Amino acid sequence: MLKLAVFLRPFIRYIALAVVVMVGQAAAELMLPTVMAEIVDGGMMTGDASKVLEVGSFMLLIALMSSACAILGSYFSSRLALGVAKNLRSAVFAKVESLGAHEFDSFGASSLITRSVNDVSQIQSVLLLFFRSVIYSPIICVGGIVMALSRDLPLSAVFAISTPLMAIGIFIQAKLVIPMFKTVQGKVDRVNLVLRENLSGVRVVRAFNRQKYETETFRKASGDLTDISIRVNRISACMMPSLMLVMNMTTVAIVWFGGDRVSNGEMSLGNMMAFVQYASQILFSVIMVSIIFVMMPRASASAARINEVMDKDQSVVDSQHPLSLASEPMEIEMRGVGFNYAGASVPALSNISFTAKPGETTAIIGGTGSGKSTLVSLIPRLYDATDGAVLVNGTDVRDHSAAELRSALGFVPQENVLFAGTIAENIAAGNPEASREEIERAAFVAQADEFIRELEKGYDSELVRGGRNLSGGQRQRLCIARALVRRPKVYIFDDSFSALDFKTDAALRSELGKWTGDATVIIVAQRVSTVMDADRIIVLDGGRIAAAGRHDQLLQTCDIYKEIVRSQLPEKSGPDGLQNRPDTVN
C-alpha cells in the first residue's frame, strides 16, 4: 500500500481539508454529551425552562455544525478516493500498454483486467472509508476517553476490560482473513478468464456443442470463488455481532454501576448520561476502525497485485540515448538472430541471417511452428532477440526508440484486430492525419473499397467490437488498409493474406507493388501463391533457415520448399509437374 502513496500527492489539498473538517466534526461530537449533561443537571433537574431552551439552542447549533462537517468530510474524501482511483487506473493502463509481449503474456489479459478494475476498486473503497473514519475515529476514541475520565474516574475502569476485548477480536479476525484475500482475487481472475474465453469463443463453443462442458467449467470457477468468499464472510460476519455484544455489555455495566453511584450521590444524573454517550462514541469508533481492518487486508492484497504490474521489469527497454532513424529507406538485416521464449526448452529461432532490402519483397514461408511470426515480431521490438542482432540501416534496433521505430513500420499481425467505431476511423488508426482521399486510396489498394461502398453508410459504417459484423476476409483487408495508409518505410505482413481468395490475393499484391515503391516489404505466408513472385524467399524449418532464394531456385535446391509447393499447387504438364502454375494464382 505504501508504494501507492505517491498517487495521493495531487490530492494533498483534499487530504488537508478532510482532516480539518473531520477534526471539526469530532470536536462537535465530543461537546454534545457535555452540553446534554448541563441541560439535565442545570435545567431539567432544577426545573429551569429558560436554561433548557438556552443550552438546547446551543446544542442544536453544535449538531448542525457536526452535520455540515460530516457532509464536507464525505465530499472531500470522495473526491480524494475517486481521483486516486482514476489516476491509478490510468497508470496501470499506461504500464500495461508499455509492457512487452513477454510481460503481457506472463500476466494474461483476464488478470490484467481484474487488476485494472476490481483491484483498483478495492483501493478506492478503502481510501473512501479511511479518510472518513480513520481520521475521525481515533480523535473520538481518545477524546471520549479523556472526557469520560473527567466525568468519573472510577467508572472509567469499565473501558480497561471492554477495549482490550474488542482489540483482541479485531486482531484475531485480521490474522485469519488476510491470507484469504489474495486467494479471493486469484479466484476472480479465474472467473474472468473462463468468462472471457467463452464469450470470445462462443462460436466455437456452439459449433462443437460444448455449452454443457463450458457451463460446468464456469460453474466450478464461480463455485470456487463463492466458497472462499463464504469462508471470508463467515469470519467477517462473526466480528460485528461480537463487537456489538461487548459494546452493549459495556453500556449495561455503565448503567448498572453508574446508577449505583448516582443513588449514592457520587455522580450526577447528567454526568452518567454523558458518560454513557462517551462510552458509545469510544466503542463505536473502535468498531469503525475494525471495519477498516477488515477491508485493509483485501486492499493490501489488491495493492500487491497492482504493484506486481507496476514493478514489472520490461524486456523491451529503450536505450538511454536512442539514435534517430534516418530519412532514407530502411534496410532490415537479421544477423545471427536467435530467440528463446521464457521457460521454453527449445529455442524458437536459431542463427537467422538475411537482409530485406528497400524496393524488394522478402517472403518468409515454412510449416506451422517454424518461427515465422516470432521472427517478424523482432523487427518492431514486440520481443527483443536473445541472440544476435536485428539491424535497421546497419544499427541495432535496440539502439532506437521503440516508438520511433514502430512509427516507421506498417505491421499487419496474424490476428485481425479492429476497434469499435467507423470503418474510416479504423483505417485512419494507421495515420490519424490521413485525409479521406488517402483513406479511400489505401482501401482501394487493399481491395476493400468495393465492399465498403456496398455498405449502407460506406466508410462511415459502424463496426461492432472486433469488427464482428464483417467477414474474416473483409476484416483482414481493413487491417491491411490501416497499414498502407501509414505510408511506412517497412511493410510487414504476418500471414495477412490467408483469408483472401486467390483472385483477391493476386489483385492486392499487384496494387501493393505500385503502392510500396522503394519501401521494404516483408511477407509471412503459408500459401505458395502469395510468395512465389517475391524477390527473396526465406524457408524456415524448426526455427532455422533451411534455404533462401527465388521461387524457381528453391524448386531446384530445397526439398522442403518443393514439398510445400507440391502440396498446394495442382500438378500440370512438365517433367516435375511444378513448372506450370495454374492461371488462378498468377
Side-chain angles (χ1 to χ4, degrees):
M1 289 287 286
L2 293 177
K3 286 187 177 180
L4 301 181
V6 64
F7 290 94
L8 294 173
R9 289 178 184 172
F11 303 97
I12 295 295
R13 178 165 61 99
Y14 288 117
I15 294 174
L17 290 172
V19 170
V20 169
V21 295
M22 288 298 155
V23 169
Q25 181 186 358
E29 294 287 344
L30 289 171
M31 288 177 64
L32 288 174
T34 298
V35 176
M36 185 192 68
E38 187 177 347
I39 291 176
V40 172
D41 292 337
M44 296 175 63
M45 298 298 293
T46 60
D48 188 350
S50 61
K51 182 75 171 179
V52 172
L53 183 61
E54 178 187 347
V55 180
S57 299
F58 181 63
M59 187 175 182
L60 178 61
L61 181 63
I62 295 174
L64 290 174
M65 185 182 77
S66 173
S67 299
C69 288
I71 293 171
L72 289 173
S74 297
Y75 172 76
F76 294 135
S77 299
S78 299
R79 288 293 299 266
L80 167 65
L82 293 172
V84 169
K86 173 193 169 188
N87 291 349
L88 185 55
R89 272 193 299 268
S90 299
V92 173
F93 182 80
K95 179 67 177 183
V96 171
E97 288 286 290
S98 70
L99 291 176
H102 171 68
E103 293 80 30
F104 190 91
D105 294 341
S106 69
F107 287 109
S110 59
S111 180
L112 289 172
I113 291 172
T114 303
R115 294 168 198 248
S116 302
V117 179
N118 186 274
D119 287 325
V120 172
S121 294
Q122 295 296 332
I123 304 293
Q124 174 184 314
S125 298
V126 166
L127 283 177
L128 184 61
L129 193 59
F130 184 89
F131 285 100
R132 289 178 61 181
S133 302
V134 175
I135 296 173
Y136 168 79
S137 297
I139 298 174
I140 286 290
C141 185
V142 175
I145 291 174
V146 171
M147 296 298 290
L149 289 172
S150 67
R151 291 292 168 183
D152 194 283
L153 184 61
L155 194 58
S156 300
V158 175
F159 298 129
I161 300 174
S162 59
T163 305
L165 283 176
M166 297 180 80
I168 291 170
I170 295 169
F171 175 78
I172 292 174
Q173 190 205 30
K175 192 76 172 175
L176 292 173
V177 299
I178 284 176
M180 295 183 182
F181 282 124
K182 192 166 186 179
T183 305
V184 169
Q185 295 305 98
K187 298 299 183 183
V188 173
D189 280 352
R190 175 61 182 166
V191 169
N192 284 340
L193 174 62
V194 174
L195 185 60
R196 186 173 182 272
E197 285 182 342
N198 277 270
L199 293 179
S200 59
V202 65
R203 295 182 181 181
V204 176
V205 172
R206 291 175 180 173
F208 286 88
N209 288 322
R210 287 176 59 88
Q211 292 96 324
K212 185 176 180 181
Y213 174 83
E214 297 297 340
T215 300
E216 186 60 33
T217 301
F218 182 79
R219 183 180 290 114
K220 184 178 184 307
S222 180
D224 290 342
L225 174 61
T226 301
D227 290 342
I228 187 66
S229 298
I230 287 174
R231 289 170 58 191
V232 171
N233 289 331
R234 279 175 181 168
I235 298 172
S236 302
C238 293
M239 184 192 68
M240 191 58 67
S242 61
L243 294 180
M244 291 301 296
L245 176 63
V246 174
M247 180 175 175
N248 291 331
M249 292 300 294
T250 302
T251 302
V252 170
I254 291 172
V255 173
W256 180 278
F257 294 111
D260 188 58
R261 291 179 63 78
V262 169
S263 64
N264 293 332
E266 298 172 349
M267 186 181 190
S268 69
L269 179 62
N271 280 342
M272 192 195 80
M273 294 177 65
F275 198 96
V276 171
Q277 284 201 331
Y278 283 128
S280 298
Q281 289 178 343
I282 293 167
L283 298 178
F284 187 73
S285 66
V286 174
I287 291 176
M288 292 299 294
V289 172
S290 72
I291 294 174
I292 287 289
F293 271 95
V294 172
M295 299 182 67
M296 190 64 76
R298 188 165 189 173
S300 180
S302 294
R305 285 160 50 83
I306 292 172
N307 284 327
E308 282 182 33
V309 178
M310 301 299 289
D311 296 340
K312 187 70 173 180
D313 292 330
Q314 296 177 233
S315 57
V316 177
V317 181
D318 284 342
S319 169
Q320 291 185 347
H321 305 287
L323 302 176
S324 297
L325 289 172
S327 58
E328 66 262 18
M330 290 171 55
E331 178 182 275
I332 304 296
E333 180 185 356
M334 299 278 178
R335 186 179 295 173
V337 167
F339 181 78
N340 200 21
Y341 287 103
S345 57
V346 178
L349 298 172
S350 299
N351 196 30
I352 303 293
S353 297
F354 69 88
T355 302
K357 299 180 179 180
E360 295 183 354
T361 297
T362 300
I364 302 172
I365 195 170
T368 302
S370 59
K372 304 183 298 297
S373 295
T374 300
L375 180 61
V376 295
S377 295
L378 302 179
I379 301 173
R381 298 190 67 196
L382 301 182
Y383 301 96
D384 274 341
T386 52
D387 294 304
V390 181
L391 307 177
V392 51
N393 289 342
T395 58
D396 197 315
V397 292
R398 287 169 288 201
D399 294 331
H400 296 276
S401 162
E404 185 182 11
L405 178 66
R406 291 165 187 167
S407 68
L409 306 176
F411 184 69
V412 185
Q414 272 186 316
E415 184 180 357
N416 302 317
V417 179
L418 296 173
F419 304 95
T422 67
I423 289 177
E425 288 170 346
N426 270 272
I427 296 176
N431 179 12
E433 303 299 324
S435 65
R436 187 58 172 258
E437 183 181 353
E438 290 172 318
I439 291 172
E440 294 178 3
R441 177 60 183 159
F444 176 81
V445 174
Q447 306 302 299
D449 183 72
E450 183 177 353
F451 85 77
I452 293 174
R453 294 189 183 279
E454 290 175 354
L455 299 174
E456 182 178 353
K457 294 184 179 180
Y459 284 85
D460 295 319
S461 299
E462 291 285 337
L463 297 181
V464 298
R465 184 188 63 84
R468 298 298 178 185
N469 52 339
L470 299 178
S471 70
Q474 290 172 336
R475 292 198 299 270
Q476 196 167 70
R477 281 176 274 173
L478 291 183
C479 291
I480 294 171
R482 182 171 58 199
L484 296 180
V485 78
R486 194 167 199 167
R487 289 285 190 178
K489 298 175 183 179
V490 179
Y491 292 87
I492 302 173
F493 299 98
D494 184 7
D495 204 12
S496 306
F497 306 102
S498 58
L500 307 181
D501 59 80
F502 285 109
K503 180 180 178 182
T504 304
D505 185 349
L508 194 156
R509 285 185 287 110
S510 175
E511 290 293 333
L512 189 63
K514 305 172 188 175
W515 179 275
T516 55
D518 61 355
T520 302
V521 180
I522 299 175
I523 298 177
V524 172
Q526 297 189 47
R527 203 158 65 186
V528 172
S529 61
T530 302
V531 305
M532 59 171 49
D533 293 323
D535 298 287
R536 186 180 302 98
I537 301 173
I538 310 295
V539 182
L540 288 186
D541 182 46
R544 297 176 178 272
I545 294 181
R550 293 183 64 87
H551 172 71
D552 52 353
Q553 295 171 337
L554 293 174
L555 285 176
Q556 303 300 323
T557 60
C558 182
D559 290 337
I560 295 175
Y561 186 75
K562 190 184 300 184
E563 184 61 32
I564 294 173
V565 174
R566 183 179 286 115
S567 67
Q568 294 186 25
L569 299 183
E571 296 186 4
K572 284 190 144 187
S573 59
D576 60 2
L578 299 171
Q579 301 301 317
N580 297 324
R581 306 181 254 165
D583 293 338
T584 54
V585 296
N586 284 336

